[in-house]
Amino acid sequence: MKEFEYKNLRNAYGEILVELGKKYSDMVVLDADLASSTKTARFAEKFPDRFFNMGVSEQDLMSTAAGLAIGGKRPIASTFAIFATGRAWEQIRQSIAYAKTNVKIVATHGGITVGEDGATHQMLEDFAIMRVLPNMKVICPADYYEVKEVVKKAFEAEGPAYIRLSRAKFPVIFDESHKFEIGKAQILREGKELTAVGVGITVHALLLAAEELWKQGISIEVINSPSIKPLDGKTIEKSARKTGKVFTAEEHSVLGGLGSTISEYLSQNYPVKMKIYGIQDTFGRSGKAMELLSFYGLDYKGIKEAILKFLKDS
Amino acid sequence: MVSEEDIKKLKKISLKLRKHIIRMTGLAKSGHPGGSLSAADIVTVLFFKVMRYRPEEPKWNDRDFFILSKGHATPLLYAALAEAGFFPKEELPHFRNLSSHLQGHPDRLMTPGVEMSTGSLGQGLSVANGVAFSRKLDKKSSRVYVLMGDGELQEGQVWEAAMTSAHYKIDNLTGIVDFNGLQIDGPVSRVKGVEPVAEKWRAFGWLVKEIDGHEFRQIIEAFNWAENNKGKPSMIVAHTLKGKGVSFMEGKVKFHGVPPTEEEMEKALKELEKKEKELEDERI
């Protein structure tokens, strides 16, 4: 197994915040006592007048961000994914989604890779509860470089958006030249027998699994779908028409996330056999991030086994 | 100085707003008359004496902002906006109808002059803080006004926001509590008491003034007081009467979220018209 370069997504976030802050004087950033963890502290150091620490008050955080947007500012609100989406869901619903205020929510610490803090802090339901909100975009980047693109493109687009980042370092897939567009998926590897769609940390695992499967004579197509909503249904459907089978993998509950979104699309446009792979209908537990990925079968080995089983059963 | 003439003019407007409230809720056969009537005098002073705005240009950047945190008082808000010229008064009777932009609770995207979509309680003060931040960043002298209910103070977010206003010394914001003492399930004191209200706000770092929310001179003075306060946020605790202005609705829990029947509507309108006439005949 070759060594991969791992880079911290949150550092990418802190860096792009400063970059955007220099360019846009109407940009403001809010946090809820986690600025040093989310890395919004980088922005706060450079632009103290445009940074608001709301303390441990996530509901207040979201509605205040909405108020700043009403006043003509372009706010980004950050905290951990569980608090951003879970604690303040109804504030987001009324003051951001329904009111269609120009607020971007960038949450770190999504998914199981939060690690040792355990189930109360491991947000596995955020894609589900955010994507059901009208007017809300839901995006989750796959590596350090994609974080920068996603935050930039989402910030520059009008209207509400939710972006999920993680605590863990992710293996690097892309480089500086990587481009992301809202509502677009990207085929990272072409294949014939199965379409595998990933989001976030599963994208790299899918690429590794595909490489190993190739050695066993199995050809799978790998698609990165950071934009869960709007979904690039067309690209996925095109691939499904070619392979006839779709496997989805996500660091999220199998209920309501990327897999559900794709199955909603395909079942109404081009039904194919699907496997929705992720965290089963359960809460997480404490452990090291990478141990947990392996425990829940979300490392490349677990994903490879799941693909083989799906191919065999279908 | 506020002349007797000015006060009379405001009283006239407040009666007009009350008539709209009765008609809108009566015709829609739904809506919240009680808490609209209790805050009618406060909102009259805000829209027709205190706030700067341009009905023909609702997003005018130098305007004062009014956030109705107790979003169920839409009949009052829409009546004030229509009387101020944001949209034709002829639209008011269509309140809550499918064909109308006048939603049951305020929708900022549908109705001109509505600054924020509210309805789920407890969010308005946070929003107002955000707007106040934006005014400060832009060095604007305009003010933000936020009207809350007393039952609404049971929402935890109100106190998160109260700490924010005090911590950031937000002095370009005036809060008002419409303290009418009643909520859907009964007297606030019995459902889950919020007293001591003024002391709570003081303890949270606010400057507080208690007034009779139906005495126009007191209301005007309180807004002046708030505007002159520096370095701290200001809260006006307005003691009001639920259903104020219509004798058989006053102090009645029922009229929080129950509209007047057709018969009650006629009776209420007659009473308000009689008051209009009395006011007209009154010598200054």
Side-chain angles (χ1 to χ4, degrees), chain B residues 133-152:
Chain B
F133 282 145
S134 78
R135 299 301 88 188
K136 290 218 170 201
L137 284 169
D138 287 349
K139 302 196 170 31
K140 295 276 181 201
S141 63
S142 56
R143 285 189 78 76
V144 187
Y145 297 90
V146 55
L147 178 66
M148 287 175 279
D150 49 358
E152 184 176 8

Side-chain angles (χ1 to χ4, degrees), chain B residues 15 36-37 60 64 90 106 120 141 146 183 230 237 252 265:
Chain B
L15 285 168
S36 294
L37 292 168
W60 175 45
D64 293 324
E90 290 70 32
S120 170
S141 63
V146 55
Q183 60 188 117
K230 295 289 167 239
V237 177
K252 296 280 192 315
M265 177 169 71

Side-chain angles (χ1 to χ4, degrees), chain A residues 13-83:
Chain A
Y13 178 46
E15 286 156 20
I16 191 69
L17 278 181
V18 171
E19 218 172 281
L20 290 169
K22 282 181 194 155
K23 194 168 165 194
Y24 299 104
S25 60
D26 57 357
M27 174 182 172
V28 293
V29 175
L30 302 90
D31 205 306
D33 192 37
L34 290 167
S36 51
S37 293
T38 63
K39 306 293 180 195
T40 58
R42 303 261 184 98
F43 181 91
E45 277 162 31
K46 289 269 180 198
F47 312 102
D49 295 345
R50 290 194 271 143
F51 176 79
F52 301 93
N53 198 329
M54 306 308 292
V56 194
S57 314
E58 294 79 14
Q59 305 173 38
D60 191 38
L61 167 79
M62 292 305 169
S63 305
T64 308
L68 275 152
I70 295 284
K73 298 295 160 196
R74 290 204 271 174
I76 299 186
S78 281
T79 177
F80 291 179
I82 176 65
F83 310 129

Side-chain angles (χ1 to χ4, degrees), chain B residues 4 16 27 50 54 72 84 149 182 203 212 229 248-249 278:
Chain B
E4 283 301 322
K16 268 193 201 171
L27 291 173
V50 173
R54 290 179 178 169
H72 53 277
L182 302 177
D212 178 333
N229 288 333
F248 64 89
M249 295 174 97
E278 283 167 7

Side-chain angles (χ1 to χ4, degrees), chain B residues 126-194:
Chain B
S126 300
V127 172
N129 282 335
V131 178
F133 282 145
S134 78
R135 299 301 88 188
K136 290 218 170 201
L137 284 169
D138 287 349
K139 302 196 170 31
K140 295 276 181 201
S141 63
S142 56
R143 285 189 78 76
V144 187
Y145 297 90
V146 55
L147 178 66
M148 287 175 279
D150 49 358
E152 184 176 8
L153 303 182
Q154 293 159 352
E155 288 282 6
Q157 186 184 353
V158 170
W159 304 102
E160 295 183 2
M163 282 190 266
T164 299
S165 319
H167 179 81
Y168 283 97
K169 302 181 170 58
I170 298 177
D171 54 10
N172 54 344
L173 175 151
T174 304
I176 311 111
V177 174
D178 175 16
F179 198 172
N180 61 37
L182 302 177
Q183 60 188 117
I184 303 180
D185 276 351
V188 176
S189 58
R190 230 187 288 153
V191 176
K192 184 160 103 172
V194 294

